Amino acid sequence: MADKILFEKGRLLVPDAPIIPYIQGDGIGVDIWRNAQLVFDKAVEKAYGSQRKVVWKEVLAGKKAADQTGDWLPDETLITIKIHLVAIKGPLETPVGEGIRSLNVALRQELDLYACLRPVRYFKGVPSPLKHPEKTDTTIFRENTEDIYAGIEWESGTAAVQKVIDFLQKDMQVDKIRFPESSAIGIKPISKQGSERLIRAAIDYALAKGLSRVTLVHKGNIQKFTEGGFRKWGYELAQREYADEMASGKLVIQDVIADNFLQQILLYPEKFDVVALTNLNGDYASDALAAQVGGIGIAPGANINYETGHAIFEATHGTAPDIAGQNKANPCSLLLSGAMLFDYIGWSEVSHLLTKAIEKALFEQKVTGDFASQLEGVPALTTSQFAEELLANIEKCP
């Protein structure tokens, strides 16, 4: 009998037939979701037979929602995801003009999904610009609600921005605004509470996975109280709550300046296990790391609130309107995000099957056009052909 996933005493309670909302996504969403769902269901069946299944429940967001309801992000969608705790989504188009700045941002803020989790690893057979992409195996924890994602800014030349500039110059004695007559102003709030809960999640994840190194990435050499605060609060948290783990060597906390980190992940990616970053730095770093292993087409992502259990797993790429509806898109980002979802709800056998099926297909260079175009003599599979390969691989798995 289908039922909701519950969250009690810090853990998920998952029925044998959980209802999991999904957002198909815009553009190539129609191609990747229908194929991904077939693969998900096959992996669940292979793992558990008739004992377990997922009851997928579509909810609307993006262009499809706007066309059907006139609202890009209907209240019903948010309510449904809040009730069912765990959801998965394809890529969403952002409306042009006034209103929601970004649907992805809106979902994260409305549900307070403060941790953006992006594991980055290499799959053999995938074209990469690095000589040794296999050395990259890093999990990013990016703060998801503060910093630039707070969206606090005022446009150049407006009365509002002039009020802000006047306050800064007159009341706060700020004299570092170089061109006040033409400046736009933005504010980046970074809090102790927001930083600690993100860094705590990163540390807990590392310890659960048997990983020892957690790196705090920041720009505290310039922004002493925001970026520097993130670093300071992280070290204090580790000393206060994880002293035994640090003393035993199970946990090592280190930090690195953001620009140096972008250099280090190219030169010595093996130095980083789990990385905690402020929002903007995390945005740069997660895409840079994804590029090292083949691009965001194969990069999964999740947005999680570990305190309430809410989580949305998502494809990390865009809607690719130029190939939408043509059955050409690479579904790996959504599929690997699904693997993360099944891990999150405790169905690790399903996650294992999905990952192994993808590993086998990519190793044999049975790939979609984005990868085939970079591999000499390799024909491109359609999205559905790639899914068929995965279905066959899952069936063959012991």
Side-chain angles (χ1 to χ4, degrees), residues 211-336:
L211 303 170
S212 62
R213 291 173 296 190
V214 176
T215 305
L216 310 175
V217 176
H218 60 92
K219 194 63 178 171
N221 57 328
I222 302 299
Q223 295 187 309
K224 309 291 186 182
F225 306 124
T226 50
E227 301 275 339
F230 180 84
R231 172 190 179 276
K232 172 176 174 285
W233 298 323
Y235 276 115
E236 290 175 349
L237 171 76
Q239 292 288 353
R240 185 174 69 248
E241 298 184 11
Y242 301 92
D244 290 345
E245 290 83 355
M246 293 180 69
S248 68
K250 289 182 180 179
L251 175 65
V252 177
I253 303 293
Q254 57 193 20
D255 74 278
V256 62
I257 302 299
D259 46 325
N260 187 35
F261 175 71
L262 293 175
Q263 175 182 223
Q264 293 296 316
I265 58 175
L266 285 171
L267 297 174
Y268 311 107
E270 66 275 12
K271 290 170 55 176
F272 303 102
D273 294 332
V274 177
V275 182
L277 310 96
T278 53
N279 180 268
L280 182 58
N281 292 329
D283 201 6
Y284 297 150
S286 54
D287 278 15
L289 277 164
Q292 295 182 193
V293 297
I296 58 174
I298 200 166
N303 303 283
I304 302 173
N305 184 321
Y306 289 95
E307 297 170 355
T308 67
H310 287 97
I312 296 179
F313 298 81
E314 64 179 355
T316 60
H317 51 70
T319 59
D322 57 320
I323 60 169
Q326 298 178 34
N327 198 26
K328 293 180 178 180
N330 182 348
C332 281
S333 178
L334 187 65
L335 287 164
L336 291 169

Side-chain angles (χ1 to χ4, degrees), residues 3-123:
D3 207 348
K4 299 190 295 290
I5 296 173
L6 302 176
F7 188 74
E8 294 181 5
K9 297 180 180 179
R11 57 188 291 265
L12 292 174
L13 302 178
V14 183
D16 286 338
I19 301 168
I20 298 182
Y22 72 92
I23 298 170
Q24 174 184 277
D26 297 322
I28 57 172
V30 65
D31 299 312
I32 61 175
W33 173 257
R34 65 185 173 211
N35 286 286
Q37 185 178 339
L38 291 172
V39 177
F40 293 152
D41 290 341
K42 179 66 175 180
V44 172
E45 180 189 1
K46 178 71 175 180
Y48 307 122
S50 60
Q51 294 180 350
R52 290 178 175 175
K53 69 173 183 177
V54 173
V55 179
W56 302 105
K57 179 181 178 64
E58 184 173 14
V59 292
L60 299 177
K63 185 69 164 54
K64 188 173 182 179
D67 290 344
Q68 292 189 21
T69 71
D71 191 344
W72 286 82
L73 185 58
D75 290 341
E76 182 181 351
T77 294
L78 288 170
I79 292 169
T80 301
I81 295 174
K82 284 180 180 179
I83 290 172
H84 294 283
L85 293 178
V86 176
I88 188 167
K89 60 175 282 294
L92 290 177
E93 181 180 332
T94 295
V96 177
E98 298 299 320
I100 297 172
R101 182 186 300 259
S102 163
L103 291 173
N104 293 324
V105 173
L107 285 165
R108 295 166 192 171
Q109 291 180 339
E110 287 290 333
L111 297 168
D112 196 23
L113 304 175
Y114 62 83
C116 180
L117 178 59
R118 294 276 294 269
V120 184
R121 56 155 291 192
Y122 179 66
F123 289 84

